[in-house]
């Protein structure tokens, strides 16, 4: 991870705040069933948009998928007259299924994730015995981003930061003055993401978060999840770099790496696995595509027994 990438991301935020590019318009869609915030981000001048971390509704008890959450995004995009250029995944989520293939079919756009997804595919391809037909090269995605890569959203400049720790493949997208950090960090009163999944590392997570928090304080943070911290009645998913530096209960300024790692490690030992981790990872490591139907025409998801 390069200092040049961080400097570029900081410059994007500063240029946007200075009015040298349009500020992106951001619409959140919160799925209470999975506590996930998805976003449509667009340039107000050209109406070019990106969709970040979409949700495919899934009922684990019945095995049924539905598209209500995704259809709400489709309706908004069509109503606002937006053109979708990008479908952005911050990482291979373990708590919800991605709706990216459905949205791509309906709205177009290129599907992107971090290049380190190949390591996630290798690890979980073995766990689910996915076979040689499951490519472990990221080819399910249209673009694999590296740290410091850039792209345009109309007249809004965007850049990518690799922020591993929660998983090896986590990215933060800096689009104008808006930062989408995925699961690395939550609202200041709730703290930070777990780091005990395969390939996770609390040391890496701390360094990734401190890297994010070195961006300009005015940068707007749009978080992927909220679980309502004790004493807070409403869900929230927008904050700032400055608010996190001042008040994040796990990683505010002054918390050193050793203290964070000790806290994160102890806390992670007490956490149950996400309810949808088995279906979510199987689908999301495939770019949101469901497994191919078997000869009887039915698709199946696997649950490895006594393996994790």
């Amino acid at each position: 991870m390069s200092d040049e990438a961080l400097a570029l991301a900081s410059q994007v935020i500063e240029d946007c705040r200075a009015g040298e590019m349009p500020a992106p318009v951001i619409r959140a869609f919160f799925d209470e069933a999975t506590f996930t915030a998805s976003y449509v981000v667009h340039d107000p001048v050209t109406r070019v948009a990106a969709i970040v971390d979409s949700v495919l509704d899934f009922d684990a008890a019945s095995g049924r998928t539905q598209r209500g959450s995704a259809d709400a995004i489709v309706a908004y995009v069509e109503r606002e007259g937006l053109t979708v250029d990008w479908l952005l995944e911050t990482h291979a989520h373990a708590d919800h299924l991605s709706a990216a293939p459905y949205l791509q079919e309906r709205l177009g756009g290129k599907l992107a994730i971090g290049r380190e997804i190949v390591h996630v595919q290798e690890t979980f391809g073995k766990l689910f015995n996915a076979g040689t037909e499951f490519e472990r090269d990221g080819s399910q995605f249209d673009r694999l981003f590296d740290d410091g890569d850039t792209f345009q959203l109309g007249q809004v400049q965007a850049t990518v930061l690799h922020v591993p720790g929660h998983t090896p493949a986590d990215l933060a997208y800096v689009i104008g003055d808006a930062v989408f950090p995925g699961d690395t960090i939550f609202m200041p009163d709730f703290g930070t993401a777990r780091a005990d999944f395969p390939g996770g590392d609390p040391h890496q997570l701390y360094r990734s978060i401190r890297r994010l928090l070195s961006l300009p304080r005015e940068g707007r943070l749009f978080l992927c999840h909220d679980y309502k911290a004790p004493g807070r009645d409403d869900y929230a998913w927008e904050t700032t770099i400055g608010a996190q530096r001042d008040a994040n209960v796990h990683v505010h300024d002054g918390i050193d790496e050793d203290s964070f790692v000790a806290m994160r490690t102890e806390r992670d030992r007490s956490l149950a696995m996400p309810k949808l981790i088995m279906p979510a990872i199987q689908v999301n490591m495939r770019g949101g595509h469901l497994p191919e139907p078997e000869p009887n025409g039915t698709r199946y998801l696997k649950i490895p027994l006594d393996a994790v």
Side-chain angles (χ1 to χ4, degrees):
M1 296 186 290
S2 70
D3 290 338
E4 291 82 1
L6 185 62
L8 177 58
S10 296
Q11 191 64 53
V12 168
I13 294 173
E14 290 172 354
D15 287 349
C16 186
R17 300 293 293 182
E20 296 183 21
M21 70 179 78
V25 176
I26 298 159
R27 170 73 155 84
F29 296 80
F30 189 72
D31 177 54
E32 191 168 346
T34 61
F35 308 103
T36 302
S38 304
Y39 299 96
V40 177
V41 189
H42 79 265
D43 168 18
V45 178
T46 65
R47 317 296 289 177
V48 173
I51 299 170
V52 183
D53 288 337
S54 61
V55 173
L56 179 70
D57 303 318
F58 177 70
D59 180 67
S62 66
R64 290 193 175 274
T65 61
Q66 294 184 325
R67 296 165 175 171
S69 295
D71 282 336
I73 289 176
V74 172
Y76 173 79
V77 167
E78 292 179 343
R79 185 171 65 250
E80 295 295 317
L82 306 180
T83 299
V84 174
D85 271 10
W86 292 98
L87 300 154
L88 304 174
E89 299 286 342
T90 55
H91 64 296
H93 304 273
D95 41 31
H96 71 269
L97 281 63
S98 171
Y102 173 68
L103 291 170
Q104 189 172 43
E105 179 183 328
R106 292 291 306 273
L107 300 170
K110 297 180 288 292
L111 175 58
I113 201 168
R115 186 172 301 280
E116 298 304 311
I117 188 63
V118 298
H119 298 299
V120 176
Q121 290 177 327
E122 183 64 30
T123 297
F124 286 98
K126 291 178 180 177
L127 176 65
F128 294 115
N129 196 30
T132 56
E133 67 274 13
F134 171 56
E135 299 291 342
R136 295 159 169 82
D137 58 1
S139 57
Q140 301 84 354
F141 301 85
D142 300 309
R143 176 74 181 269
L144 300 181
F145 280 124
D146 292 304
D147 187 60
D149 280 351
T150 63
F151 61 96
Q152 291 290 131
L153 205 62
Q155 296 181 15
V156 181
Q157 187 176 353
T159 191
V160 177
L161 296 175
H162 182 213
V163 287
H166 175 60
T167 80
D170 282 65
L171 293 183
Y173 296 100
V174 180
I175 304 175
D177 67 339
V179 183
F180 300 86
D183 286 12
T184 56
I185 196 165
F186 300 137
M187 289 297 289
D189 59 357
F190 199 87
T192 57
R194 65 194 301 163
D196 59 337
F197 293 152
D201 184 311
H203 291 278
Q204 278 193 329
L205 181 61
Y206 177 85
R207 295 166 194 166
S208 292
I209 292 172
R210 295 311 309 177
R211 190 177 189 226
L212 283 172
L213 297 189
S214 67
L215 293 168
R217 290 180 62 92
E218 298 78 17
R220 298 182 290 163
L221 273 174
F222 293 87
L223 311 177
C224 189
H225 294 288
D226 187 54
Y227 306 95
K228 290 198 293 192
R232 174 156 54 86
D233 295 329
D234 298 319
Y235 292 108
W237 45 80
E238 181 179 354
T239 181
T240 66
I241 297 291
Q244 295 283 19
R245 291 186 59 175
D246 293 341
N248 187 284
V249 294
H250 292 168
V251 72
H252 59 77
D253 286 357
I255 299 292
D256 63 33
E257 183 172 340
D258 288 343
S259 298
F260 174 83
V261 169
M263 176 281 302
R264 189 69 263 170
T265 302
E266 181 180 0
R267 182 174 175 82
D268 288 350
R269 289 195 190 105
S270 71
L271 298 177
M273 297 296 282
K275 293 179 180 179
L276 295 183
I277 186 170
M278 293 302 175
I281 292 293
Q282 281 178 84
V283 170
N284 295 337
M285 72 181 187
R286 293 178 166 90
H289 292 280
L290 301 176
E292 289 297 316
E294 297 198 6
N296 65 354
T298 300
R299 303 175 190 271
Y300 292 89
L301 293 167
K302 297 178 180 179
I303 299 179
L305 300 178
D306 302 321
V308 294

